[in-house]
Amino acid sequence: MIKASVIGGTGYAGQELIRILMRHPEVEIVTVGSRSYAGQKFSDIYGNYENIMNHVCEVADIKELAEKSDVVFLALPHGIASKMVTEEILMQTKIIDLGADFRLKDIDIYEDWYNTEHHNKSLLKEAVYGLCELHRDDIRDARLIANPGCYTTCSILSLAPLVKNDLIDINSIIIDAKSGVTGAGRGMVQTSMYSECNESIKAYKIGEHRHTPEIEQELGLFNGKNFNLLFTPHLVPMNRGILALSYATLTKSIAINELQELYKDFYKDEYFVRLTGDRMPETRWVKGSNYCDIGLKIDTRTNHVVIVGAIDNLIKGAAGQAVQNMNIVFDLDEKTGIDFIADFPI
Amino acid sequence: MIKASVIGGTGYAGQELIRILMRHPEVEIVTVGSRSYAGQKFSDIYGNYENIMNHVCEVADIKELAEKSDVVFLALPHGIASKMVTEEILMQTKIIDLGADFRLKDIDIYEDWYNTEHHNKSLLKEAVYGLCELHRDDIRDARLIANPGCYTTCSILSLAPLVKNDLIDINSIIIDAKSGVTGAGRGMVQTSMYSECNESIKAYKIGEHRHTPEIEQELGLFNGKNFNLLFTPHLVPMNRGILALSYATLTKSIAINELQELYKDFYKDEYFVRLTGDRMPETRWVKGSNYCDIGLKIDTRTNHVVIVGAIDNLIKGAAGQAVQNMNIVFDLDEKTGIDFIADFPI
Amino acid sequence: MIKASVIGGTGYAGQELIRILMRHPEVEIVTVGSRSYAGQKFSDIYGNYENIMNHVCEVADIKELAEKSDVVFLALPHGIASKMVTEEILMQTKIIDLGADFRLKDIDIYEDWYNTEHHNKSLLKEAVYGLCELHRDDIRDARLIANPGCYTTCSILSLAPLVKNDLIDINSIIIDAKSGVTGAGRGMVQTSMYSECNESIKAYKIGEHRHTPEIEQELGLFNGKNFNLLFTPHLVPMNRGILALSYATLTKSIAINELQELYKDFYKDEYFVRLTGDRMPETRWVKGSNYCDIGLKIDTRTNHVVIVGAIDNLIKGAAGQAVQNMNIVFDLDEKTGIDFIADFPI
Amino acid sequence: MIKASVIGGTGYAGQELIRILMRHPEVEIVTVGSRSYAGQKFSDIYGNYENIMNHVCEVADIKELAEKSDVVFLALPHGIASKMVTEEILMQTKIIDLGADFRLKDIDIYEDWYNTEHHNKSLLKEAVYGLCELHRDDIRDARLIANPGCYTTCSILSLAPLVKNDLIDINSIIIDAKSGVTGAGRGMVQTSMYSECNESIKAYKIGEHRHTPEIEQELGLFNGKNFNLLFTPHLVPMNRGILALSYATLTKSIAINELQELYKDFYKDEYFVRLTGDRMPETRWVKGSNYCDIGLKIDTRTNHVVIVGAIDNLIKGAAGQAVQNMNIVFDLDEKTGIDFIADFPI
């Protein structure tokens, strides 16, 4: 059994992670760390664990956890993990960080977009970007994995085959993404109150969201170029799910079935990427699952390609992919414990 | 492996059943029957099954299915199952009927409340009412199981300990229940349109809902009396979940902790019934799980006891309990394949 | 023009009040008081007022407001208004208090249920309970009006004709009420976060909600008796609306059409009470309006009457009724400025 | 008093129109036409009209209506109005058509996108496109007004100043629009069922929605060119509201404040267009009102401008604008009867 601990277990991503780990056949949860709820039973915070789990939240000392855990998951606001993780800790345990601290390779870009100093430049190089479908081999041997952001996962998987095959003008990319409210986290802010976001939709941080450079970095790996894209997120009145529409100008004429074949080929070994053919993805078909659904559309009137991607932001966009990374690291079947069929209607 | 078939697999309860059976470690799905979608791939109707399931819906002949299946689940509107099931079929397979046809033992009550003739009086006697927590021993040997209704399951489990212990005036029971919209099924009716039921709540069929006599029948088993209760259902703007508040006048003075102990004792061997103590049940903590959560409150000002019950209407109230029944019949650990932790927030 | 000011204008009830007053043909808004948002433009807090209203929120001194306003509305948490209002102020302006401080006539009951000391026993006697349909004559001459609570308005209007006509056992009343999330106010609490209350329903404060004694007080006026009723509120995932089901045992046999006639007669002069006949009220038909819809059902099986009441909690349950009170006080047509047709689907 | 009739009054747009007309100080409703509900009281179909309106739906003969009405509103599926309206009728009454039949000037484009024959080529020329802010002078003298589509209104108002001032590459326009479910109408289709669209988002008809050529036609008027744009609509789980993000490449460098000034100048006389400055529009601030809110953003990293537009699809996108058109035609103050402040939270 893999001994796993979670630091930051009481946020939405942390809780989803614990739910998955609790039913993972090869995992035993050692410690649930939570500064805000230290001393409280996890099942008192989240009533779904009543009778199921007896863990009490602790103020976790990562050094102690490293000693008694095979893997430690971090689900923390940015700026904390980079202070916590050290060489010493990595000699004792694997770290899978669901936060942003180790995702961006260029420290200037990190400090610019996150408006804070990075505390751990040396480990930044070692950290592997944990988008399983693209970096599986590096993940296998990694000690420190930077689990990708939710918008990021959906956007990169949507665009990777096109960028790799040089079919689009890289400078024309516009991503218009929509997320459910859990994406804003569990922190109390006015804009996340029920009556403030119910029955309304808004765009926010247009061109300024921190997932932008993450997408640019990963797509840039395919063509070696620096480039900028325009990323716009929206808040949608639903609990879960991300739908991202990526628009780009085609540089070559290509038929829709050719394009579909190209994607099929690119993802032929990927269990968690589903190409939906002529039916466009909807978040309801992935919610509660680790799948990323992708649909393709060519608009010949304007010479654009539109890629529709859908994921569950808390699963493939956070906790599910974190466990997928763990499965890779510990050499388990990659879908162990995360092979969910989306529950519907839920 | 248990060979299972489903007739009526494209309604919401049928689909949920298929989702559970697909991941049940001891089950293989033989046939998905659906008259309305015959010839269509199940994954074309429900996009969550993309890449997961290749079954094509068939107009199912129950005789053929009986030959090749160890168990046949029926998820059909009332009045159909009672025509389909015969002695011959029951000699070949087990039947678990999610519909209403075999639930009421008194045929006059059935015909009165359902306003139709019953087609199968003889099998009515044999059928076992499949509320697992109350009829486990009979279920074990049953050939024909009448899976309880959703409101019913929640209401009976809420009230059984009180009635059995003769603590309430049986003629004072009022049940005020609230259900998500999946409870109305997948059929197209104006009142189930998004903009007709979103952002609104209504009561319906006050005192006239067909689950009323089912609750009366089962509670009556504890005290041998005929009695009437008042049952009111509501439609709540959410996909899933039932919350039922049962009110009754206490016949004896009892302290809340005594009452809690009495419930704990009654359900001490029941994995799927959780007593929530001082925290009252909410549907979010059971949604996606097979649990029935129960909370208790005594109002000394008016000498009433209030029992709060919560279930997922499609799981403990339909498909989950159907599989729980199957597990009992086939002598599996009762929680096999249905030991879900409620997913949150979803 | 009536000069009106609002203290506590940035909560949901206060904002709704301002919206109504802004379009009221006989009113001019003088001052918007808000401690939390002092110095901010009202339209920066509530974007719906963009280009419509230039008021800046002020820390309001009620004495100053009294001098320059014909009426001052208070929309404040309990315990504040009773300190603010004095004889001196009432000599200069009319006060309509949307809070709880002046609703309960029995100071012991207030202090018991609100767990705080009352600061203004003398004015408590003078204050008129502002349920327009029942106390219109007193309201006309009042200086200080205690606007009723939301659950209260709906419950009292539902039950008044039955109690007055002595048709029910007063000790058998159970009110099972359901409210949208705006009922919890705009304050930031975990349980009002979108993902915490969306797609779930719960009961809360069973038998302990502070609107209980208010309903008892007002119904008690009809029969002179002290009595207790059981009131249970629920939180429903929708922005607005209250649906209250009142259950009681009939003391006399009465036919449904007789009962309907009795209600029609009781409310024959009431514009804002609608009897819905055989169609039961739903919150969608009153949302955005000042109506209270009432439907009646007799359950002969259990000898119960069920009254279904529906209002918009922020309009008839708060701001709309406050303006209705103002219209009475200033001798305007009672429906001036509040004669809305419920907007649907919204 | 203007005598007004509505044909197709029981759809969502028709009902909203009737609600507005019922409270319009200069209008009297003559006839409500509805084929599907002929003979039924309007208040039996829509419970919000209980006690308010006694009209019974009729199978309307447009000739009769023309004789007794000053204006007839048509709220019908496409293909019907073009058969109904004749020169004879227009000699007797004004027609405001909320449908698509008279919006597109180029009959080939109409027949191509709507896949049907047009029945009234002559009147097509006469019809005035009723986007009040752009065609007020023509509307004033029109006999036949084609009320714009919902997505269309929002998109054209968002982009008009940029196109007119030649600031963007007209061939680079991408509009990513999101609509609430009332946009799909009241017709019963599986995809509009509550549990099918609740808690999910999807894009549909990418590049193929019929509002596309309407936007192209109107924007083309500013620069005389034919061009194509890419329009993508989405279905969002909420009752009402449209949020449209328009993306385009800037052809000149311009500062955000210059751009804001340019929009202010363009819309300086327009009561119903609000520029929201640095705060981006959200549907909640326009829902229930006739406003179109517009926000602007320049992304210098990619040289794009993003325009965020928000309207209520049933008001500014349908019934409200229809009444605005009526007000212009009958020389009333343009905001008469439609000067609503968005109700919030609702």
Side-chain angles (χ1 to χ4, degrees), chain B residues 113 171-178 191 195-203 205-208 212-213 216 227-232 234 236-243 245 247-248 280-285 287 297 299 301-302 304-306 308 344-346, chain C residues 113 171-178 191 195-203 205-208 212-213 216 227-232 234 236-243 245 247-248 280-285 287 297 299 301-302 304-306 308 344-346:
Chain B
W113 284 80
N171 290 304
S172 72
I173 298 174
I174 293 172
I175 304 173
D176 189 290
K178 298 90 184 173
T191 48
S195 300
E196 301 289 321
C197 53
N198 186 38
E199 291 291 304
S200 188
I201 181 169
K202 67 171 177 187
K205 295 186 188 164
I206 302 173
E208 298 173 0
T212 308
E216 291 171 347
F227 75 100
N228 291 331
L229 57 79
L230 174 50
F231 176 79
T232 303
H234 293 74
V236 178
M238 59 187 197
N239 282 333
R240 289 213 191 184
I242 283 179
L243 190 81
L245 263 71
Y247 299 94
M280 287 298 114
E282 309 179 25
T283 59
R284 60 177 173 159
W285 303 133
K287 203 171 58 150
K297 179 86 188 175
D299 184 54
R301 297 176 80 246
T302 62
H304 275 98
V305 60
V306 187
V308 182
F344 176 80
I346 199 163
Chain C
W113 285 80
N171 290 303
S172 73
I173 298 175
I174 293 173
I175 304 173
D176 188 292
K178 299 90 184 171
T191 48
S195 299
E196 301 289 321
C197 53
N198 186 37
E199 292 290 304
S200 188
I201 181 169
K202 66 171 176 187
K205 295 185 188 165
I206 302 173
E208 298 173 0
T212 308
E216 291 170 348
F227 75 100
N228 292 330
L229 56 79
L230 174 50
F231 175 78
T232 303
H234 292 74
V236 178
M238 58 188 197
N239 281 333
R240 288 215 193 182
I242 283 178
L243 190 80
L245 265 71
Y247 299 93
M280 288 298 116
E282 309 179 26
T283 59
R284 59 178 173 158
W285 303 133
K287 202 172 58 149
K297 178 85 189 174
D299 185 53
R301 297 175 80 247
T302 63
H304 275 97
V305 60
V306 187
V308 181
F344 176 79
I346 200 163

Side-chain angles (χ1 to χ4, degrees), chain C residues 199-305:
Chain C
E199 292 290 304
S200 188
I201 181 169
K202 66 171 176 187
Y204 65 99
K205 295 185 188 165
I206 302 173
E208 298 173 0
H209 193 279
R210 287 162 171 170
H211 286 180
T212 308
E214 208 176 315
I215 305 169
E216 291 170 348
Q217 166 183 293
E218 290 299 307
L219 293 180
L221 296 178
F222 289 108
N223 70 353
K225 289 182 226 158
N226 279 328
F227 75 100
N228 292 330
L229 56 79
L230 174 50
F231 175 78
T232 303
H234 292 74
L235 192 72
V236 178
M238 58 188 197
N239 281 333
R240 288 215 193 182
I242 283 178
L243 190 80
L245 265 71
S246 301
Y247 299 93
T249 309
L250 285 165
T251 50
K252 295 176 195 164
S253 176
I254 184 167
I256 183 67
N257 59 332
E258 279 182 272
L259 190 64
Q260 287 171 339
E261 284 308 311
L262 184 141
Y263 269 71
K264 265 187 213 163
D265 188 58
F266 190 95
Y267 289 121
K268 66 176 180 297
D269 298 324
E270 298 305 331
Y271 184 80
F272 288 120
V273 176
R274 300 191 297 196
L275 302 168
T276 60
D278 297 334
R279 185 173 56 72
M280 288 298 116
E282 309 179 26
T283 59
R284 59 178 173 158
W285 303 133
V286 296
K287 202 172 58 149
S289 85
N290 197 51
Y291 290 103
C292 176
D293 278 6
I294 296 177
L296 301 161
K297 178 85 189 174
I298 292 171
D299 185 53
T300 50
R301 297 175 80 247
T302 63
N303 194 36
H304 275 97
V305 60

